[in-house]
Coordinates of all heavy atoms in Angstrom, one line a residue:
E1276 N 0.4 5.5 -3.1 CA -0.1 5.7 -4.4 C 0.3 4.6 -5.3 O -0.5 4.1 -6.1 CB 0.3 7.1 -5.0 CG -0.3 8.3 -4.3 CD 0.4 9.6 -4.6 OE1 1.3 9.6 -5.5 OE2 0.1 10.6 -4.0
T1277 N 1.5 4.1 -5.2 CA 2.0 3.0 -6.0 C 1.2 1.8 -5.7 O 0.8 1.0 -6.6 CB 3.5 2.7 -5.7 OG1 4.3 3.9 -6.2 CG2 4.0 1.5 -6.5
S1278 N 0.9 1.6 -4.4 CA 0.1 0.4 -4.0 C -1.3 0.5 -4.7 O -1.9 -0.5 -5.1 CB 0.0 0.4 -2.5 OG -0.7 -0.7 -2.1
K1279 N -1.8 1.7 -4.7 CA -3.2 1.9 -5.3 C -3.1 1.6 -6.8 O -4.1 1.1 -7.4 CB -3.7 3.2 -5.0 CG -4.1 3.4 -3.5 CD -4.6 4.8 -3.2 CE -5.0 4.9 -1.7 NZ -5.6 6.2 -1.4
I1280 N -2.1 2.0 -7.5 CA -1.9 1.8 -8.9 C -1.9 0.3 -9.2 O -2.5 -0.2 -10.1 CB -0.6 2.4 -9.5 CG1 -0.8 4.0 -9.5 CG2 -0.3 1.9 -10.9 CD1 0.5 4.7 -9.7
L1281 N -1.1 -0.5 -8.3 CA -1.0 -1.9 -8.5 C -2.4 -2.6 -8.2 O -2.8 -3.5 -8.9 CB 0.0 -2.5 -7.5 CG 1.5 -2.2 -7.9 CD1 2.4 -2.6 -6.8 CD2 1.9 -2.8 -9.2
F1282 N -3.1 -2.0 -7.3 CA -4.5 -2.5 -7.0 C -5.4 -2.3 -8.3 O -6.1 -3.3 -8.7 CB -5.1 -1.8 -5.9 CG -6.6 -2.0 -5.7 CD1 -7.1 -3.2 -5.2 CD2 -7.5 -1.1 -6.2 CE1 -8.4 -3.4 -5.1 CE2 -8.9 -1.3 -6.1 CZ -9.4 -2.5 -5.5
M1283 N -5.3 -1.2 -8.9 CA -6.1 -0.9 -10.1 C -5.7 -1.8 -11.3 O -6.5 -2.2 -12.1 CB -6.0 0.5 -10.5 CG -6.7 1.5 -9.5 SD -6.8 3.2 -10.1 CE -5.1 3.7 -9.7
E1284 N -4.4 -2.2 -11.3 CA -3.9 -3.0 -12.4 C -4.2 -4.5 -12.1 O -4.5 -5.3 -13.0 CB -2.4 -2.8 -12.6 CG -2.0 -1.4 -13.1 CD -0.5 -1.3 -13.2 OE1 0.2 -2.1 -12.7 OE2 -0.1 -0.3 -13.9
K1285 N -4.0 -4.9 -10.9 CA -4.1 -6.3 -10.5 C -5.4 -6.8 -9.9 O -5.8 -7.9 -9.9 CB -3.0 -6.7 -9.5 CG -1.6 -6.5 -10.1 CD -0.5 -7.0 -9.1 CE 0.9 -6.9 -9.7 NZ 1.9 -7.4 -8.7
K1286 N -6.1 -5.8 -9.3 CA -7.4 -6.0 -8.6 C -7.3 -6.9 -7.4 O -8.0 -6.6 -6.4 CB -8.4 -6.7 -9.6 CG -8.7 -5.9 -10.9 CD -9.2 -4.5 -10.6 CE -9.5 -3.7 -11.8 NZ -9.9 -2.3 -11.5
N1287 N -6.4 -7.9 -7.3 CA -6.3 -8.7 -6.2 C -5.2 -8.2 -5.2 O -4.8 -8.9 -4.3 CB -6.0 -10.2 -6.6 CG -4.7 -10.3 -7.3 OD1 -4.2 -9.3 -7.8 ND2 -4.2 -11.5 -7.4
H1288 N -4.7 -7.0 -5.4 CA -3.7 -6.5 -4.6 C -4.3 -5.7 -3.5 O -5.2 -4.9 -3.6 CB -2.8 -5.5 -5.5 CG -1.8 -4.8 -4.7 ND1 -0.5 -5.3 -4.5 CD2 -1.8 -3.6 -4.1 CE1 0.2 -4.4 -3.9 NE2 -0.5 -3.4 -3.6
N1289 N -3.8 -6.0 -2.2 CA -4.3 -5.2 -1.1 C -3.5 -3.9 -0.9 O -2.3 -3.9 -0.8 CB -4.1 -6.1 0.2 CG -5.0 -7.3 0.2 OD1 -6.1 -7.2 -0.3 ND2 -4.5 -8.4 0.7
V1290 N -4.2 -2.8 -0.9 CA -3.6 -1.5 -0.8 C -2.9 -1.3 0.5 O -3.4 -1.7 1.6 CB -4.7 -0.4 -1.1 CG1 -4.1 1.0 -0.8 CG2 -5.2 -0.5 -2.5
L1291 N -1.7 -0.7 0.5 CA -1.1 -0.3 1.8 C -1.9 0.8 2.5 O -2.3 1.8 1.9 CB 0.3 0.2 1.5 CG 1.4 -0.8 1.0 CD1 2.7 0.0 0.7 CD2 1.7 -1.8 2.1
S1292 N -2.0 0.6 3.8 CA -2.7 1.6 4.6 C -1.6 2.7 4.9 O -0.4 2.5 4.8 CB -3.3 1.0 5.8 OG -2.2 0.6 6.7
Y1293 N -2.1 3.9 5.4 CA -1.2 4.9 5.8 C -0.4 4.4 7.0 O 0.8 4.8 7.2 CB -1.9 6.2 6.1 CG -2.5 6.3 7.5 CD1 -1.8 6.8 8.6 CD2 -3.9 5.9 7.7 CE1 -2.4 6.9 9.8 CE2 -4.5 6.0 8.9 CZ -3.7 6.5 10.0 OH -4.3 6.6 11.2
K1294 N -1.0 3.6 7.9 CA -0.2 3.0 9.0 C 0.9 2.1 8.6 O 2.0 2.1 9.2 CB -1.2 2.3 10.0 CG -2.2 3.2 10.6 CD -3.1 2.4 11.5 CE -4.2 3.3 12.2 NZ -5.1 2.5 13.1
E1295 N 0.6 1.3 7.5 CA 1.7 0.4 7.0 C 2.8 1.2 6.4 O 4.0 0.9 6.6 CB 1.1 -0.6 6.0 CG 0.2 -1.6 6.7 CD -0.5 -2.5 5.6 OE1 -1.1 -1.9 4.7 OE2 -0.3 -3.7 5.7
A1296 N 2.5 2.3 5.6 CA 3.5 3.1 5.0 C 4.3 3.9 6.1 O 5.5 4.1 5.9 CB 2.8 4.1 4.0
F1297 N 3.6 4.3 7.1 CA 4.3 5.0 8.2 C 5.3 4.0 8.9 O 6.4 4.4 9.2 CB 3.2 5.4 9.3 CG 3.8 6.0 10.5 CD1 4.6 7.2 10.5 CD2 3.6 5.3 11.7 CE1 5.1 7.7 11.7 CE2 4.1 5.8 12.9 CZ 4.9 7.0 12.9
R1298 N 4.9 2.8 9.0 CA 5.8 1.8 9.6 C 7.0 1.6 8.7 O 8.2 1.4 9.2 CB 5.1 0.4 9.8 CG 5.9 -0.6 10.5 CD 5.3 -2.0 10.6 NE 6.0 -2.9 11.5 CZ 7.2 -3.5 11.2 NH1 7.7 -3.3 10.0 NH2 7.7 -4.3 12.0
L1299 N 6.8 1.6 7.4 CA 8.0 1.4 6.4 C 9.0 2.5 6.6 O 10.2 2.3 6.5 CB 7.5 1.4 5.0 CG 6.6 0.2 4.5 CD1 6.2 0.5 3.1 CD2 7.3 -1.1 4.7
A1300 N 8.5 3.7 6.9 CA 9.4 4.9 7.1 C 10.1 5.0 8.4 O 11.0 5.8 8.6 CB 8.6 6.2 6.8
T1301 N 9.7 4.1 9.3 CA 10.2 4.2 10.7 C 10.8 2.8 11.1 O 11.9 2.5 10.8 CB 9.1 4.7 11.7 OG1 7.9 3.9 11.6 CG2 8.8 6.1 11.4
L1302 N 10.0 2.0 11.7 CA 10.5 0.7 12.2 C 10.9 -0.2 11.0 O 11.9 -0.9 11.1 CB 9.4 0.0 13.0 CG 9.8 -1.3 13.6 CD1 11.0 -1.2 14.5 CD2 8.6 -2.0 14.4
G1303 N 10.2 -0.1 9.9 CA 10.6 -0.9 8.7 C 11.9 -0.5 8.2 O 12.7 -1.4 7.8

């Protein structure tokens, strides 16, 4: 959700996918 907020504010921001967020919670 934070990533999506930044996308709406910056427009050039690539939204985090659920797979990327899942990686942050595990291997990341």
Side-chain angles (χ1 to χ4, degrees):
E1276 290 168 6
T1277 296
S1278 180
K1279 290 180 177 180
I1280 290 169
L1281 290 172
F1282 167 77
M1283 289 185 283
E1284 291 177 348
K1285 295 184 177 182
K1286 301 301 181 185
N1287 61 343
H1288 175 89
N1289 291 325
V1290 172
L1291 288 176
S1292 68
Y1293 81 89
K1294 293 180 180 179
E1295 289 174 307
F1297 173 65
R1298 187 187 189 282
L1299 293 179
T1301 52
L1302 185 57

